[in-house]
Amino acid sequence: MIKEYKTIKEIASPLMVVDGVENVTYDELGELELPNGQVRRCKVLEIEGQKAVVQLFESAQGINLAETKVRFLGHPQQLAVSEDMLGRVFNGMGNPIDGGPDILADAHMDINGLPMNPAARAYPAEFIQTGVSAIDGLNTLVRGQKLPIFSGSGLPHAALAAQIARQARVLGDNETFAVVFAAIGITFEESEYFINEFRRTGAIERTVVFSNLANDPAVERIATPRMALTAAEYLAFEKDMQVLVILTDITNYAEALREISAAKKEVPGRRGYPGYLYTDLATMYERAGRRQGKKGSITMLPILTMPEDDKTHPIPDLTGYITEGQIILSRDLFRKGIIPPVDVLPSLSRLKDKGIGTGKTREDHAGTMNQLFAAYSRGKDAKELMTILGEAALSEDDKLYAKFAEEFEKVYVGQGNSTNRSIEETLNIGWDLLSILPVRELKRIKPEYIEKYLPKK
Amino acid sequence: MSGTITKVSGPLVVAKGLADANVSDVVRVGSQHLIGEILNMTGDSASIQVYEETSGLGPGAEVLTTGMPMSVELGPGMLNNIYDGIQRPLPEMRRLSGDCIARGIDVPALDREKLWKFVPVAKPGDKVITGDVIGTVQETTAILHKIMVPHGIQGTVKSIIAESEHTVTDVVAVVTDEKGIDHDLTMTQRWPVRIARPYARKYVPSRPMNSGQRIIDTMFPIAKGGTAAVPGPFGSGKTVVQHQLAKWSDVDIVIYIGCGERGNEMTDVLMEFPELNDPRNGEPLMKRTVLIANTSDMPVAAREASIYTGITIAEYFRDQGYDVAVLADSTSRWAEALREMSGRLEEMPGEEGYPAYLASRLAQFYERAGVVECLGSDERQGSVTAIGAVSPPGGDISEPVSQATMRIVKVFWALDSSLAYARHFPAINWLTSYSLYLDTLAPWYTAQFGESYMKNREKAMHILQEESELQEIVRLVGQDALSPTDRLTMETAKMIREDFLQQNAFVDEDAYSSYAKQYRLLDLVLKYDAICREALKQDPNLDTLFTIPAREKIGRAKMANAATFEADYAAIEKEMEAEINAVAAGGNNE
């Protein structure tokens, strides 16, 4: 028998204090029933004696202290999961909004999940070909990795994410895949762009969408990515699917978290974000991965827009400390018309070394990758020097490096959003570009590979 | 004794009715028996930090005290194992609760069933004191585990079993103290993690820890028993540096603490270490390693405990007379856990919300490192070397954790994101890093390799310093403004950076460099500099001088095989000398 309370003492959205409660536990899910019959969700943040501090998931509008009833449901927030979720659209709280029927639940799962035992993880090592050279060649994505896209307002991150979702495949493999897409506080237009992309390519049949748009309550955003990850865990580890999770935009999520933290009057950390932002983000990001003895995997592509393009802002900074690398988009490249504008130097995939080489991509991959990085870095320095001092001030080598950097951006990075390159094509383009440089400069590649792959002039 | 919960706020639980409990006691909370520790007491109510997720806990639930402070179990079975922050074995937890970590699992740290072959060392009638070795167990092929008389016990051995197989809880010896009381000794002992294990005396570190990393061993060495910090922004390679140290350091035991970091990094260690062999004895590295994994998604309070668990295990092996390295990745995450608990306790915050006791806690941790003479009558020596990664927000080391760490540690390997972008790894910046052990270690280097080792180091550092000044000039007026000697300096600096300091952790030939190879390689680069400097007097064509074929060979010299490098380098040296002289003789034909 679930007790109902009419003892709300205080409401300061998104928090509420209920008094005189019994047997209520931390993190328990609750329901509010308004006088007009409307039902809203909430959860327990703190419980002291008979007083519960409760966080609302929806707006506080219309709640009346005297008339509104509160029930506590005896379990944390859950999501009803089943394979029928594929092809459906849900709101940020996990309720269908596409007009279809409710999901016949195969199971109810706690949306907070449980931490994965490090001894049960399988190390991600299977190369995913995204067809994007700047990723495949230099910042290789592997199955089970979490690789965020650090973008800025007005940069084409959505197009890149959609391109990856469309083109990504594991070489020589026919396993079932699924996409879980969580729109977190983004606009209707942005969300529609993704959904239309999925529709256009037919991927919508294998996609689960959780949509919390900009005009939906901010507090709901805390739950949205967790809903998405719970669905992903179910599909990956119960149904053996290869799941790609796209979360956009993490910045909106962190702002919602800050809003609640401020309402709770917590001591703020950097820029007003709560001190536990790192731990909170980690409990989401770490849900990506593979498990020993399980076929499925969760690969995660969170997207975040860096305020003022500042990589040291707490959101990208803490994300970078948790995720296994980052793809950074550059406004300068975008202005030059280079699409996708991936800034390869600060971009990084930490798991690339285990996913490339003989039997995975090609034997020359590691060496050429390091050489391209080093050469592009030096070429960029040379170009900078050239703008200050003029071309005459450069040594012969530096002139070649400057030319290399120019070509590299245009040809290697700037492939456009519709080109799908195989890994061989990507590697060969790399060799073409390296042939601009004198052979003696190619110190990072084994001589036998230079002999085998470098185009003869 | 038991109390009742009155408040739950995340990992913080307040319970009343615990007037007789002690601060720091371990308690079991709620019906699931979650593990917690008492932080503060007010009247009969205790503030408890709970090491597991508290979801589902509410007022009225029971809290039981164990009357024991937070302790670790020490004995055979720790090596080759992976624990969470409060020393619960993760493989065992996986067996009990599946792929995810469920709550309230109670597993002993040491396997109760496993039989170990105990070899007695002491004989009945022997007088023993605390720390004396009464027997040994060959725990792994790499490590002989010494069973010591636990703290507080001394007397005469009344009986000791013969060589035979026993579990860790079987009594292996009985010691009678002066009052005639018998004490049963097993192969295990317990120790509270927040208290440093005692030793006879402490020494100033005087031997280097060989890491096989050129920038560390030659440029910024660390002593066995010393302390170091590795600060750096994300993506600068902190974890790779830590992994390299864990793999190649010439210590007997490595304790690797993954504190609030990525799960896959621990998996990487777990998969890779059993495959890798120690270059000194050919044994798999995992056989000398204890892993402590409290990843970022695991409960935050246990993260706070994890570094104490790690260093206590390290001290226990030190007490057996071993050299131990503790690698903590990352201390910033530990500090954040401290901050979170402090916030929940509503303490007055210090800088950036961190508690005011942050610096003293950090200092206490690092001060547990050192070279000591162990307890026991055989005067054996052991050491604990502590190396902590620091993850400063935005890479800015003016923040409290970096600053508090810098005040304590003696070695500072500053990682630099611009080096990382240029894929210069290890991305340790040679201008901002330092080692305060240079003076104390110099005699060792000189004794082993002669005067020239330290002289070469000084020379190389000087050239790198000069390069950074010359770069300023080049940036303003271009390279042509430099004199030939300055251009040579720039060129040599480039060689030191690219051909010596850069080291690829993922290539077998390069991942580990012996002292001899390090010395010869740097010497080769500096010889090039010296011969060229001599040749400059004849005004040669600089571009030809800097592109002689031998340069490419020097560039690849670090890949030379450990067995043949001496001969290879000698050949390169000869070739280089001939080529430089030929260029010099040709004069400047520009």
Side-chain angles (χ1 to χ4, degrees):
Chain A
M1 173 56 205
I2 292 173
K3 257 192 182 169
E4 281 188 347
Y5 300 97
K6 275 179 143 183
T7 46
I8 303 175
K9 281 278 149 324
E10 188 186 325
I11 292 191
S13 181
L15 299 187
M16 180 172 86
V17 177
V18 189
D19 208 358
V21 297
E22 277 171 26
N23 295 328
V24 169
T25 63
Y26 173 69
D27 208 28
E28 191 173 339
L29 187 68
E31 268 179 1
L32 286 116
E33 195 180 321
L34 270 61
N36 63 5
Q38 213 182 12
V39 174
R40 292 179 194 171
R41 297 276 183 100
C42 59
K43 79 167 185 185
V44 178
L45 281 187
E46 190 180 302
I47 169 101
E48 182 166 12
Q50 298 196 313
K51 201 176 76 181
V53 179
V54 174
Q55 176 195 328
L56 298 168
F57 284 124
E58 290 158 76
S59 88
Q61 205 177 22
I63 297 181
N64 173 309
L65 293 192
E67 295 298 321
T68 308
K69 289 183 266 187
V70 188
R71 291 187 285 270
F72 293 97
L73 304 178
H75 59 78
Q77 205 174 358
Q78 289 175 330
L79 178 70
V81 289
S82 124
E83 236 173 309
D84 299 335
M85 297 178 94
L86 290 169
R88 301 290 306 271
V89 181
F90 302 86
N91 69 5
M93 296 303 288
N95 302 316
I97 49 168
D98 53 0
D102 277 353
I103 294 293
L104 229 53
D106 183 35
H108 286 88
M109 292 170 75
D110 180 351
I111 65 159
N112 292 313
L114 283 170
M116 214 190 288
N117 190 328
R121 280 181 188 269
Y123 199 74
E126 291 158 296
F127 169 69
I128 296 180
Q129 180 176 297
T130 64
V132 180
S133 293
I135 296 176
D136 290 352
L138 301 175
N139 297 295
T140 318
L141 179 68
V142 296
R143 219 179 233 180
Q145 185 172 15
K146 38 193 179 292
L147 190 66
I149 299 175
F150 287 9
S151 181
S153 326
L155 292 179
H157 46 263
L160 178 61
Q163 185 178 10
I164 295 171
R166 188 171 66 234
Q167 299 177 350
R169 64 189 196 91
V170 170
L171 298 178
D173 187 283
N174 291 317
E175 285 171 60
T176 46
F177 79 99
V179 176
V180 175
F181 175 74
I184 310 164
I186 58 172
T187 60
F188 169 77
E189 285 170 49
E190 239 179 301
S191 163
E192 275 305 288
Y193 171 83
F194 277 101
I195 293 171
N196 282 333
E197 270 296 310
F198 297 143
R199 221 170 255 145
R200 191 170 67 79
T201 55
I204 192 81
E205 298 299 315
R206 317 277 321 152
T207 303
V208 188
V209 177
F210 290 87
S211 174
N212 168 282
L213 299 184
N215 59 347
D216 290 328
V219 280
E220 257 187 57
R221 274 165 218 165
I222 306 295
T224 310
R226 297 195 159 80
M227 295 274 171
L229 286 163
T230 306
E233 277 174 358
Y234 172 76
L235 295 174
F237 302 125
E238 305 289 330
K239 296 291 161 198
D240 291 342
M241 292 182 198
Q242 310 301 332
V243 185
L244 178 70
V245 181
I246 299 175
L247 306 172
T248 176
D249 177 321
I250 296 294
T251 307
N252 296 335
Y253 170 83
E255 269 167 12
L257 201 66
R258 177 166 67 178
E259 195 180 318
I260 291 163
S261 168
K264 286 198 272 182
K265 301 190 175 66
E266 290 172 336
V267 180
R270 274 171 81 218
R271 299 230 188 171
Y273 291 98
Y276 50 79
L277 181 61
Y278 175 85
T279 306
D280 190 276
L281 289 174
T283 52
M284 298 197 317
Y285 293 144
E286 281 289 326
R287 290 168 79 172
R290 291 169 61 224
R291 295 179 187 175
Q292 287 172 30
K294 293 271 164 76
K295 269 197 197 143
S297 67
I298 299 178
T299 309
M300 201 191 288
L301 281 184
I303 299 173
L304 59 91
T305 43
M306 299 181 278
E308 298 163 50
D309 292 356
D310 176 11
K311 195 156 63 77
T312 66
H313 183 280
I315 302 169
D317 188 54
L318 295 179
T319 297
Y321 275 123
I322 309 162
T323 54
E324 282 133 355
Q326 65 277 338
I327 302 292
I328 297 188
L329 301 189
S330 144
R331 210 167 283 280
D332 283 343
L333 290 176
F334 184 56
R335 281 202 200 102
K336 279 195 216 166
I338 292 178
I339 299 287
V342 177
D343 193 354
V344 299
L345 294 182
S347 295
L348 169 74
S349 163
R350 292 167 189 272
L351 303 181
K352 61 179 187 297
D353 299 291
K354 300 269 158 71
I356 62 175
T358 319
K360 288 178 172 152
T361 55
R362 209 166 75 182
E363 53 186 2
D364 57 323
H365 194 154
T368 47
M369 174 178 76
N370 285 327
Q371 193 69 60
L372 285 168
F373 270 125
Y376 179 53
S377 165
R378 182 156 169 207
K380 269 186 94 170
D381 285 349
K383 274 171 70 180
E384 216 170 276
L385 207 61
M386 200 158 79
T387 45
I388 304 172
L389 300 166
E391 203 180 335
L394 294 188
S395 69
E396 285 308 312
D397 277 2
D398 277 344
K399 279 181 201 158
L400 289 176
Y401 273 108
K403 183 175 166 225
F404 168 87
E406 192 70 27
E407 287 293 307
F408 175 83
E409 288 175 3
K410 237 188 300 183
V411 182
Y412 198 91
V413 180
Q415 67 181 93
N417 278 137
S418 49
T419 315
N420 185 358
R421 286 182 186 158
S422 73
I423 183 66
E424 285 77 21
E425 282 174 77
T426 293
L427 290 171
N428 292 342
I429 293 169
W431 280 106
D432 282 344
L433 290 167
L434 288 174
S435 70
I436 295 172
L437 304 173
V439 181
R440 81 183 125 75
E441 288 289 313
L442 307 183
K443 279 188 215 170
R444 295 177 187 232
I445 309 176
K446 285 190 180 165
E448 60 258 41
Y449 298 152
I450 296 182
E451 186 58 37
K452 190 164 162 190
Y453 294 105
L454 189 69
K456 308 280 185 289
K457 278 189 233 176
Chain B
M1 199 189 60
S2 75
T4 324
I5 296 182
T6 56
K7 176 183 173 177
V8 184
S9 165
L12 178 76
V13 167
V14 179
K16 65 174 197 293
L18 289 170
D20 292 334
N22 310 311
V23 170
S24 298
D25 272 2
V26 171
V27 293
R28 308 307 292 256
V29 181
S31 57
Q32 287 184 300
H33 288 261
L34 307 182
I35 300 168
E37 184 182 1
I38 297 179
L39 293 179
N40 293 330
M41 304 279 303
T42 323
D44 73 339
S45 96
S47 302
I48 299 162
Q49 73 170 341
V50 180
Y51 291 123
E52 300 179 76
E53 176 58 49
T54 51
S55 172
L57 218 53
E62 195 183 40
V63 175
L64 297 168
T65 64
T66 59
M68 293 260 292
M70 183 71 206
S71 311
V72 285
E73 246 179 32
L74 302 163
M78 290 191 288
L79 294 168
N80 208 356
N81 210 337
I82 174 167
Y83 292 110
D84 76 350
I86 47 175
Q87 214 204 4
R88 290 183 299 182
L90 289 169
E92 192 59 19
M93 288 177 78
R94 183 178 177 223
R95 202 177 59 76
L96 292 172
S97 77
D99 290 346
C100 291
I101 296 175
R103 296 187 292 162
I105 304 178
D106 201 3
V107 242
L110 302 175
D111 191 337
R112 291 287 184 271
E113 315 281 304
K114 188 166 168 132
L115 293 171
W116 298 97
K117 192 172 185 192
F118 177 84
V119 181
V121 172
K123 298 183 301 296
D126 281 0
K127 292 255 183 254
V128 289
I129 58 170
T130 300
D132 274 348
V133 178
I134 54 162
T136 59
V137 168
Q138 191 69 46
E139 182 174 352
T140 68
T141 37
I143 297 296
L144 184 71
H145 197 114
K146 296 169 187 162
I147 309 296
M148 297 172 289
V149 177
H151 196 62
I153 295 177
Q154 58 177 341
T156 319
V157 177
K158 183 177 172 193
S159 67
I160 187 160
I161 56 162
E163 185 175 323
S164 52
E165 297 206 327
H166 289 276
T167 66
V168 288
T169 46
D170 289 347
V171 174
V172 292
V174 177
V175 172
T176 313
D177 66 15
E178 291 156 349
K179 292 182 193 133
I181 301 167
D182 285 352
H183 298 270
D184 290 345
L185 304 191
T186 65
M187 283 187 260
T188 51
Q189 42 180 294
R190 293 188 73 83
W191 192 263
V193 295
R194 296 187 197 276
I195 298 171
R197 282 177 63 87
Y199 46 81
R201 57 180 294 206
K202 209 164 188 171
Y203 297 98
V204 175
S206 59
R207 288 168 304 143
M209 186 179 87
N210 177 211
S211 67
Q213 309 305 302
R214 291 187 289 267
I215 184 146
I216 293 176
D217 288 349
T218 301
M219 296 301 188
F220 309 106
I222 177 167
K224 276 184 184 148
T227 51
V230 197
F234 64 84
S236 56
K238 274 187 304 296
T239 302
V240 180
V241 169
Q242 293 269 31
H243 280 195
Q244 289 302 94
L245 290 167
K247 284 177 196 166
W248 309 120
S249 294
D250 67 337
V251 290
D252 304 304
I253 311 270
V254 171
I255 315 286
Y256 192 96
I257 311 169
C259 173
E261 288 288 309
R262 304 177 183 90
N264 277 331
E265 278 168 7
M266 296 316 292
T267 313
D268 187 20
V269 176
L270 268 180
M271 315 259 263
E272 196 179 15
F273 276 32
E275 310 285 314
L276 289 170
N277 292 333
D278 188 330
R280 280 160 296 275
N281 55 19
E283 292 291 338
L285 286 173
M286 200 59 206
K287 302 219 179 227
R288 62 163 198 179
T289 309
V290 182
L291 296 175
I292 313 261
N294 214 90
T295 55
S296 54
D297 54 339
M298 285 158 76
V300 70
R303 192 194 297 171
E304 193 268 335
S306 64
I307 71 165
Y308 295 107
T309 301
I311 197 126
T312 309
I313 296 174
E315 285 174 337
Y316 172 69
F317 281 109
R318 172 203 70 189
D319 291 345
Q320 297 176 31
Y322 288 119
D323 288 324
V324 188
V326 175
L327 302 157
D329 185 12
S330 140
T331 55
S332 295
R333 305 299 162 223
W334 168 80
E336 277 168 15
L338 210 61
R339 173 167 71 183
E340 190 172 337
M341 285 318 296
S342 165
R344 303 242 183 215
L345 288 167
E346 289 163 17
E347 293 173 339
M348 183 70 86
E351 262 179 290
E352 290 191 19
Y354 287 105
Y357 46 78
L358 170 70
S360 59
R361 291 277 171 90
L362 263 175
Q364 277 164 11
F365 167 72
Y366 281 109
E367 196 54 24
R368 288 172 77 169
V371 183
V372 304
E373 185 187 308
C374 314
L375 292 179
S377 24
D378 61 353
E379 294 176 6
R380 59 186 182 273
Q381 278 195 15
S383 71
V384 171
T385 311
I387 300 166
V390 184
S391 320
D396 173 13
I397 59 162
S398 66
E399 56 91 40
V401 183
S402 305
Q403 286 302 314
T405 306
M406 283 173 79
R407 288 213 303 273
I408 313 156
V409 298
K410 296 281 188 291
V411 181
F412 191 71
W413 296 312
L415 295 172
D416 193 315
S417 54
S418 60
L419 289 173
Y421 295 166
R423 297 314 188 254
H424 174 112
F425 286 115
I428 297 175
N429 186 316
W430 48 90
L431 297 173
T432 50
S433 300
Y434 59 79
S435 164
L436 299 181
Y437 291 117
L438 273 175
D439 292 337
T440 44
L441 295 179
W444 186 90
Y445 280 95
T446 307
Q448 299 284 321
F449 310 104
E451 297 265 324
S452 46
Y453 202 103
M454 279 292 140
K455 280 212 178 108
N456 275 355
R457 179 199 176 269
E458 248 168 67
K459 212 161 158 190
M461 281 306 286
H462 183 72
I463 290 172
L464 290 170
Q465 289 282 356
E466 246 183 296
E467 183 200 28
S468 79
E469 286 158 27
L470 291 172
Q471 261 165 355
E472 293 290 307
I473 301 174
V474 173
R475 230 167 265 143
L476 290 173
V477 292
Q479 204 172 35
D480 292 343
L482 295 184
S483 70
T485 48
D486 284 347
R487 278 195 62 190
L488 177 61
T489 305
M490 294 279 286
E491 204 61 27
T492 312
K494 185 181 154 209
M495 289 170 74
I496 297 173
R497 285 188 283 113
E498 293 181 1
D499 304 340
F500 180 74
L501 294 182
Q502 276 183 21
Q503 191 167 356
N504 192 335
F506 301 100
V507 173
D508 292 345
E509 297 85 357
D510 199 25
Y512 174 84
S513 241
S514 65
Y515 277 123
K517 191 172 163 187
Q518 298 189 24
Y519 167 69
R520 290 284 294 126
L521 185 57
L522 184 59
D523 201 51
L524 189 66
V525 172
L526 293 174
K527 282 238 169 71
Y528 172 85
D529 180 77
I531 303 170
C532 281
R533 228 163 264 280
E534 194 58 37
L536 285 183
K537 290 178 186 153
Q538 301 178 45
D539 190 23
N541 182 320
L542 288 181
D543 288 332
T544 334
L545 191 63
F546 297 157
T547 53
I548 55 167
R551 277 289 297 275
E552 203 187 322
K553 290 199 176 143
I554 299 175
R556 296 186 188 284
K558 57 184 159 194
M559 300 294 179
N561 192 301
T564 59
F565 74 92
E566 298 258 13
D568 294 347
Y569 290 2
I572 297 173
E573 200 176 310
K574 234 178 174 171
E575 201 180 318
M576 156 183 105
E577 200 168 349
E579 282 169 8
I580 297 170
N581 288 335
V583 175
N588 193 344
N589 46 13
E590 243 178 312

